[in-house]
């Protein structure tokens, strides 16, 4: 078992204490913003205040997971401000503890915390987000328009023009459904029509079906050379329905990936999400190192507001770089691995420049 020295325990405890404080500040801000959003959503619905409150508590962890890298960045800033205010950095140097040793200690602590985040916090937040979506869907009109992927392909429930359409497709090939069965019912679930087709173009809400086989309950089958079918769904909407991967834990992600593969549905986004999860601890560690090198390179006597604003601006820049590269990866403009790891490599290079002369500060 690893035994920490007194100074190591002191540094780790202070770093953890600062991080926990910043985490709860972000939690409070996120909670306030989210509950106002939920109250606004239910403003025309007669419900108990407990519902938006409960939904907020379910949703907040998933939001916090996305901002944890910036929590570590800002926490590291305030950790060094605290050491600077007490002249503890100078005291550490007098006892032979240089900046590199301090940085190694807090970066390793961050790495361990990152592993705990993806193994415990992520899975808990994903399950809470999944429950949030299930409850929220009961209060939306969108529950009339449902889609799911199972071992039997893609299933869609679509209500339009007082008719209920149940659609099953074996596979998705770009913007087309393959081997499609459409069962159309009236609002009382009396069968009106059955449409079978080898291929359906779902580029927009008006589906184009060539060489369809159509039959009604009171007539024989007939072939239709070209048929237009109105729907609330198109390829973009179907794609967006399965993009909320934050509500899936590790086991659910693997299951969904297998379902996507069986349907010939693109797994690019889910592969990107999985790689992001596994790179998360390293990302957190690099954010801590970047923040530490910056703090060791500037004076501590500047107002705390300056450091806070600087940290927020830096977080925004990093977020948009990540988002931009992530979009390129999902669109397959660049490989997924490149889109995930390039920001980390860039931040590592920037941090390394500051590390060269870190002990001279």
């Amino acid at each position: 078992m690893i035994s920490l020295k007194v100074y190591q325990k002191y540094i780790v405890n202070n770093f953890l204490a600062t991080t926990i404080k910043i985490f709860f500040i972000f939690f409070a801000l996120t909670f306030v913003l989210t509950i106002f959003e939920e109250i606004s959503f239910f403003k025309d619905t007669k419900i108990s205040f407990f519902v938006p409150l409960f939904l907020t508590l379910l949703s907040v962890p998933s939001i916090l997971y996305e901002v944890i890298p910036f929590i570590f960045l800002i926490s590291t800033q305030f950790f060094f401000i605290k050491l600077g205010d007490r002249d503890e950095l100078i005291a550490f140097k007098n006892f032979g503890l240089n900046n590199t040793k301090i940085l190694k200690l807090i970066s390793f602590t961050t790495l361990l915390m990152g592993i705990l985040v993806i193994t415990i916090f992520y899975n808990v937040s994903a399950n809470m987000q999944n429950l949030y979506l299930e409850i929220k869907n009961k209060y939306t009109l969108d529950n009339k328009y449902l889609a799911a992927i199972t071992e039997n392909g893609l299933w869609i429930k679509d209500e339009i023009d007082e008719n209920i359409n149940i659609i099953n497709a074996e596979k998705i090939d770009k913007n087309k459904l393959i081997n499609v069965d459409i069962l159309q019912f009236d609002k009382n679930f009396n069968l009106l029509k059955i449409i079978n087709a080898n291929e359906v173009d779902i580029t927009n809400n008006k589906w184009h079906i060539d060489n369809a086989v159509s039959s009604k309950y009171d007539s024989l089958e007939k072939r239709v050379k070209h048929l237009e079918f109105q729907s609330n769904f198109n390829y973009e909407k179907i794609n967006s329905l399965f993009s909320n991967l934050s509500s899936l834990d590790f086991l659910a992600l693997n299951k969904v990936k297998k379902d996507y593969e069986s349907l010939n549905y693109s797994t690019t986004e889910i592969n990107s999400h999985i790689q992001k999860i596994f790179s998360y601890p390293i990302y957190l560690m690099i954010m801590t190192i970047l923040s530490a090198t910056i703090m060791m390179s500037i004076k501590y006597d500047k107002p705390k507001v300056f450091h806070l604003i600087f940290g927020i601006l830096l977080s925004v820049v990093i977020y948009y770089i990540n988002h931009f590269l992530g979009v390129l990866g999902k669109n397959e403009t660049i490989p997924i691995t490149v889109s995930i790891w390039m920001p980390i490599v860039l931040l590592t290079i920037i941090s390394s420049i500051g590390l060269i002369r870190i002990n001279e500060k």
Side-chain angles (χ1 to χ4, degrees):
M1 185 174 179
I2 298 174
S3 178
L4 293 176
K5 297 179 181 178
V6 174
Y7 78 86
Q8 291 174 326
K9 289 182 180 179
Y10 178 80
I11 291 173
V12 170
N13 288 338
N14 271 274
F15 180 69
L16 290 176
T18 304
T19 303
I20 291 170
K21 286 178 183 177
I22 299 298
F23 177 86
F24 278 107
I25 290 172
F26 270 82
F27 176 87
L29 291 172
T30 305
F31 180 87
V32 170
L33 293 174
T34 305
I35 197 167
F36 277 126
E37 184 179 335
E38 295 298 336
I39 291 172
S40 176
F41 178 85
F42 289 106
K43 64 182 179 182
D44 298 322
T45 308
K46 293 182 179 180
I47 55 164
S48 166
F49 178 72
F50 172 76
V51 174
L53 177 63
F54 183 60
L55 287 173
T56 299
L57 291 173
L58 290 175
S59 179
V60 166
S62 183
I63 300 172
L64 284 175
Y65 176 80
E66 298 296 327
V67 299
I68 281 177
F70 311 115
I71 290 175
F72 273 93
L73 187 147
I74 294 173
S75 297
T76 304
Q77 284 184 299
F78 280 89
F79 168 73
F80 278 99
I81 289 172
K82 185 177 179 181
L83 294 183
D85 287 345
R86 298 177 178 178
D87 293 325
E88 290 177 337
L89 286 174
I90 297 174
F92 287 146
K93 286 181 180 179
N94 291 335
F95 284 97
L97 184 64
N98 57 33
N99 291 336
T100 300
K101 290 181 180 179
I102 297 174
L103 185 54
K104 283 181 179 179
L105 194 57
I106 63 172
S107 60
F108 182 71
T109 302
T110 301
L111 182 64
L112 292 179
M113 292 175 70
I115 294 172
L116 289 176
V117 167
I118 65 170
T119 53
I120 300 175
F121 186 82
Y122 171 78
N123 286 292
V124 171
S125 67
N127 285 303
M128 292 175 71
Q129 181 71 358
N130 186 53
L131 180 58
Y132 167 84
L133 294 174
E134 286 182 8
I135 297 173
K136 190 74 171 282
N137 186 60
K138 295 177 182 178
Y139 296 94
T140 65
L141 295 176
D142 287 341
N143 60 3
K144 296 192 298 182
Y145 318 123
L146 304 175
I149 292 177
T150 70
E151 59 184 10
N152 296 318
L154 173 69
W155 290 88
I156 295 173
K157 175 192 173 188
D158 185 10
E159 294 186 29
I160 189 167
D161 297 332
E162 296 189 353
N163 291 329
I164 301 170
N165 300 314
I166 304 296
I167 302 153
N168 174 233
E170 184 180 312
K171 292 183 179 180
I172 297 179
D173 184 10
K174 296 183 179 179
N175 62 333
K176 294 181 179 179
L177 299 180
I178 307 299
N179 295 334
V180 184
D181 297 315
I182 301 174
L183 282 72
Q184 190 170 78
F185 301 86
D186 63 19
K187 60 183 179 181
N188 296 317
F189 271 93
N190 297 309
L191 182 62
L192 301 176
K193 186 190 296 183
I194 299 175
I195 301 172
N196 307 106
N198 293 328
E199 188 176 278
V200 177
D201 188 326
I202 58 169
T203 303
N204 49 53
N205 291 81
K206 185 176 286 187
W207 294 6
H208 296 278
I209 310 173
D210 292 327
N211 302 317
V213 177
S214 176
S215 61
K216 296 183 179 179
Y217 74 96
D218 58 352
S219 63
L220 299 175
E221 292 183 353
K222 66 176 182 178
R223 291 191 174 274
V224 183
K225 188 174 182 180
H226 182 76
L227 178 67
E228 290 185 345
F229 183 83
Q230 193 66 35
S231 174
N232 290 297
F233 288 86
N234 54 46
Y235 177 74
E236 185 178 347
K237 182 170 183 178
I238 292 173
N239 192 48
S240 67
L241 287 173
F242 305 115
S243 62
N244 193 351
L245 300 176
S246 63
S247 62
L248 303 175
D249 59 24
F250 282 133
L251 293 176
L253 281 170
N254 287 323
K255 182 181 181 302
V256 169
K257 184 178 179 181
K258 290 179 181 178
D259 290 339
Y260 281 17
E261 289 171 343
S262 67
L263 188 62
N264 198 35
Y265 191 77
S266 174
T267 58
T268 300
E269 192 162 351
I270 196 167
N271 287 333
S272 174
H273 187 73
I274 291 172
Q275 282 209 39
K276 275 186 178 179
I277 293 173
F278 285 115
S279 67
Y280 203 76
I282 297 175
Y283 181 36
L284 295 183
M285 183 177 68
I286 295 301
M287 291 291 275
T288 297
I289 293 173
L290 176 65
S291 181
T293 53
I294 291 173
M295 291 302 297
M296 290 176 180
S297 301
I298 61 178
K299 295 180 179 179
Y300 298 106
D301 56 0
K302 293 183 181 295
K304 290 182 175 61
V305 175
F306 168 83
H307 294 288
L308 180 61
I309 294 174
F310 180 77
I312 293 172
L313 290 175
L314 185 60
S315 299
V316 170
V317 171
I318 293 171
Y319 171 81
Y320 279 107
I321 291 173
N322 263 326
H323 179 72
F324 175 71
L325 291 173
V327 170
L328 292 180
K330 290 174 184 177
N331 293 337
E332 300 184 359
T333 305
I334 60 176
I336 295 174
T337 303
V338 174
S339 70
I340 301 299
W341 290 96
M342 185 180 288
I344 295 176
V345 171
L346 289 175
L347 292 174
T348 302
I349 293 171
I350 295 170
S351 300
S352 299
I353 295 171
L355 288 171
I356 295 173
R357 300 180 61 185
I358 196 172
N359 286 318
E360 297 177 13
K361 304 296 180 181

